[in-house]
Amino acid sequence: MSLDLIGIPDIQVPAAELVPFSPEDGLGCDIAFSDDGRLLAAISGEGTLVVCETAGWAEVCRVTEAVSLHSPRLMWVPGSTVVTIAAADDDTIEQVAFDPRTGDSVEVPAEAGVRRSRTGRVRATFGYDAGIEVLIEDGTGPRRHRPGPDLLFEAVSFTADETRMYAATLDGGVYLLEPPEADRFTKTLRMMPAVATLAVAPDGRHLAVYGVPSADGEEYVIAVVRLEDEVVVASHDLGHDVSTLAWSPDGATLAALVVRDRDAGGDVEVIRIMSAGGDRSSQLATQQP
C-alpha cells in the first residue's frame, strides 16, 4: 500500500532530543510552540521555565521558580512572544507571564483557558476537574459552553482554521468539537479507547496521539492517525511515557515530552523532536480501523 508521507512525522527516529530539566527541576508538565514557530517553551512541576529556539534548538531562556502552582500549563499570548504559565490554586486559575528573550516577568491581561485556538477566539479549560469548559468569542461577547461528558480530559488541540477541537480522555478516547457548535461534541473517534495526550496537525490532516491502541491492550504507543478515514498510518512504542504532544504551527515538527529512566537513577524529561516527510515507508505501520 502506497502512503502519502507529506505531513507524517518520523516517530521512530527523532531529528533531535532536548534535555531541558534536571531531576531538581521536577517532572516536565507541558510544552508549547510560539505562534511564529521560532520558540519552544517547556515548564516543569517545580516551576522551571525553559525556552529554546527551534532553529538549532539552542536554549535562550531559563527561569527557575517561575511559578509555584500545581500542574502548570503553557500558553503563548496571541501574536506575541510572551509566554504565560497558568495553574490552579485553590480552584482559581492563576497566571504569570515572561518575556522569553530576557527571562523577565511581564504584566499581561489574563489569558482565558489553558489551551487556545490560533487567534484565541476559542479557548478551553480542562484537567483540573471533570468536564471541559469552552469559551468562544464571536464578536458580540464571549459565550461559555460545557459540553458533556463529565470525564477528566487530558489534552486539547485545535486545527489552525479554528473549526475543529480534539479532546483526549483516558475513559473515552478522542472527542471532536466543531465551533461554533460548542454545546455538544459532534463525534467520538474510536481509534484508541484510552488517550493520554494528543496534538492535531495545523492543517487538520493528521492527529498524533499517545494511548492504548486496543481495548485489551496495556502498552501505550505513540501513533499518527489520518483523519480523513481514521486510519493509523504510523505507530511506535517508545518504551517511555509521553506526557505532552505539540505540533509546530507550520506542521513540520511534532514535539513530545517524554519521561525515560536514567542510568544514574531517577527520571529525566526528553523533548523528542520528530520531523514530517521523507522516504521511510518501511517504518510506517498501517492498519484499518
Side-chain angles (χ1 to χ4, degrees):
M1 175 173 146
S2 175
L3 287 174
D4 178 7
L5 298 180
I6 300 298
I8 301 176
D10 189 340
I11 57 179
Q12 289 198 30
V13 183
E17 286 193 337
L18 316 179
V19 184
F21 305 123
S22 69
E24 290 74 24
D25 293 318
L27 297 177
C29 287
D30 201 12
I31 54 176
F33 284 96
S34 60
D35 288 351
D36 60 11
R38 295 180 178 180
L39 299 171
L40 176 67
I43 186 73
S44 76
E46 295 298 317
T48 296
L49 171 68
V50 177
V51 181
C52 297
E53 291 182 328
T54 56
W57 304 108
E59 183 178 309
V60 297
C61 173
R62 176 176 292 267
V63 182
T64 58
E65 299 181 353
V67 64
S68 59
L69 300 173
H70 176 65
S71 298
R73 294 182 182 271
L74 295 169
M75 189 162 56
W76 295 83
V77 176
S80 169
T81 54
V82 171
V83 63
T84 67
I85 309 169
D89 185 24
D90 296 328
D91 298 324
T92 300
I93 303 296
E94 297 191 8
Q95 172 189 291
V96 294
F98 291 90
D99 180 340
R101 297 295 184 182
T102 64
D104 294 334
S105 175
V106 295
E107 293 291 333
V108 296
E111 290 285 306
V114 293
R115 284 290 185 266
R116 65 169 173 85
S117 62
R118 180 179 58 84
T119 66
R121 185 181 67 88
V122 188
R123 297 171 179 268
T125 301
F126 62 94
Y128 300 115
D129 200 356
I132 190 169
E133 182 179 78
V134 180
L135 179 69
I136 297 181
E137 177 61 63
D138 62 0
T140 62
R143 296 182 290 115
R144 293 185 181 274
H145 305 268
R146 194 173 177 84
D150 283 335
L151 299 173
L152 185 61
F153 286 86
E154 307 290 336
V156 162
S157 184
F158 296 88
T159 56
D161 63 7
E162 302 178 302
T163 62
R164 285 178 281 164
M165 182 190 90
Y166 293 90
T169 78
L170 291 174
D171 298 307
V174 177
Y175 290 82
L176 170 63
L177 184 142
E178 298 175 279
E181 298 295 328
D183 291 321
R184 60 184 176 86
F185 286 104
T186 58
K187 187 177 183 181
T188 304
L189 286 71
R190 293 293 181 183
M191 80 283 289
M192 283 189 179
V195 175
T197 189
L198 56 72
V200 65
D203 62 7
R205 294 181 60 190
H206 298 97
L207 184 70
V209 296
Y210 175 71
V212 178
S214 63
D216 58 354
E218 296 181 358
E219 298 298 325
Y220 278 72
V221 302
I222 185 171
V224 178
V225 180
R226 188 172 57 211
L227 288 169
E228 179 183 11
D229 50 13
E230 296 182 25
V231 169
V232 176
V233 295
S235 179
H236 183 52
D237 181 0
L238 295 180
H240 309 290
D241 293 333
V242 175
S243 61
T244 311
L245 290 167
W247 221 304
S248 63
D250 63 1
T253 302
L254 177 66
L257 182 58
V258 178
V259 180
R260 69 182 186 188
D261 295 332
R262 292 197 311 165
D263 293 337
D267 294 327
V268 61
E269 275 63 47
V270 173
I271 300 179
R272 186 180 176 98
I273 306 299
M274 296 164 282
S275 297
D279 182 12
R280 55 183 198 284
S281 56
S282 62
Q283 298 177 8
L284 301 181
T286 63
Q287 65 183 55
Q288 295 298 321

